[in-house]
Amino acid sequence: KQEVTQIPAALSVPEGENLVLNCSFTDSAIYNLQWFRQDPGKGLTSLLLIQSSQREQTSGRLNASLDKSSGRSTLYIAASQPGDSATYLCAVLFSGTYKYIFGTGTRLKVLA
Amino acid sequence: DAGVIQSPRHEVTEMGQEVTLRCKPISGHDYLFWYRQTMMRGLELLIYFNNNVPIDDSGMPEDRFSAKMPNASFSTLKIQPSEPRDSAVYFCASSLTRRDTEAFFGQGTRLTVV
């Protein structure tokens, strides 16, 4: 069964800290992996999309890496800010299914 | 573009009533997806369309759920009759292609069935 797991489920850090969110998936045959941010009561905002042929993507203070062979992706947030507080979701598009499977998310709180 | 637009944002209805959720995808996007989000099950894909044609509806929970896409700029998700366990946030998303581009989500419709 194709599954996506995110650890930790919740994280609280002081402002300014660099942090890493983890995403693991059960099948290395994927088309792509996408990281999203969800604010309370809001929709999902796409942060980064990594194709299966890529190793990483960067956008501002965010860097996402992909290691297909080990079934892992990490989202690195540099110099965290209170405005980064949200739930971060990882979604994997497994080959042959054309369905994004979502992890359950990491709820991040950055303390001022 | 204004992004993916969903309506209504909130819906409260009584058990047994028909509920219709609406979605306007981003112009030019060929793929449209309906997701449901609950605390227990997270985000689940219900159905997706390609060029207005339903491709995979295996995630639709029961026959009470139906979805249509009469044209490239409009889709509906209907629940008839509604039940309390249908209470969830329903998201619509669209993407330019299936594999190579980002999926853009609407703000969601929070459905409460009492």
Side-chain angles (χ1 to χ4, degrees), chain A residues 1-101:
Chain A
K1 182 182 177 184
Q2 293 165 330
E3 294 182 340
V4 180
T5 305
Q6 290 187 248
I7 295 173
L11 183 63
S12 185
V13 300
E15 182 178 6
E17 194 161 298
N18 301 326
L19 55 99
V20 174
L21 308 181
N22 296 294
C23 172
S24 60
F25 44 96
T26 53
D27 187 347
S28 62
I30 69 171
Y31 288 129
N32 65 52
L33 182 147
Q34 196 165 354
W35 282 94
F36 292 88
R37 167 184 174 141
Q38 185 174 27
D39 293 283
K42 299 291 179 65
L44 280 68
T45 300
S46 178
L47 298 174
L48 290 163
L49 172 71
I50 309 179
Q51 301 291 351
S52 62
S53 58
Q54 297 174 323
R55 293 297 299 265
E56 66 176 344
Q57 283 283 357
T58 298
S59 176
R61 294 182 294 108
L62 304 179
N63 176 276
S65 67
L66 174 64
D67 183 346
K68 279 194 309 178
S69 61
S70 65
R72 293 181 185 176
S73 175
T74 60
L75 180 66
Y76 175 83
I77 303 177
S80 58
Q81 303 170 357
D84 295 329
S85 299
T87 296
Y88 290 81
L89 292 154
C90 164
V92 178
L93 187 62
F94 290 101
S95 298
T97 67
Y98 293 97
K99 297 180 184 181
Y100 271 112
I101 305 295

Side-chain angles (χ1 to χ4, degrees), chain A residues 38 41-42, chain B residues 6 9 21 35-38 42-43 86-91 107-111:
Chain A
Q38 185 174 27
K42 299 291 179 65
Chain B
Q6 292 186 246
R9 291 294 311 278
L21 311 182
Y35 285 87
R36 178 172 67 176
Q37 186 177 38
T38 62
L43 269 159
D86 302 331
S87 298
V89 181
Y90 291 81
F91 287 103
Q107 294 295 295
T109 295
R110 182 174 295 277
L111 173 65

Side-chain angles (χ1 to χ4, degrees), chain B residues 3 29 44 87 108 114:
Chain B
H29 281 192
E44 302 174 287
S87 298
V114 298

Side-chain angles (χ1 to χ4, degrees), chain B residues 5 18 35:
Chain B
I5 299 173
E18 177 180 295
Y35 285 87

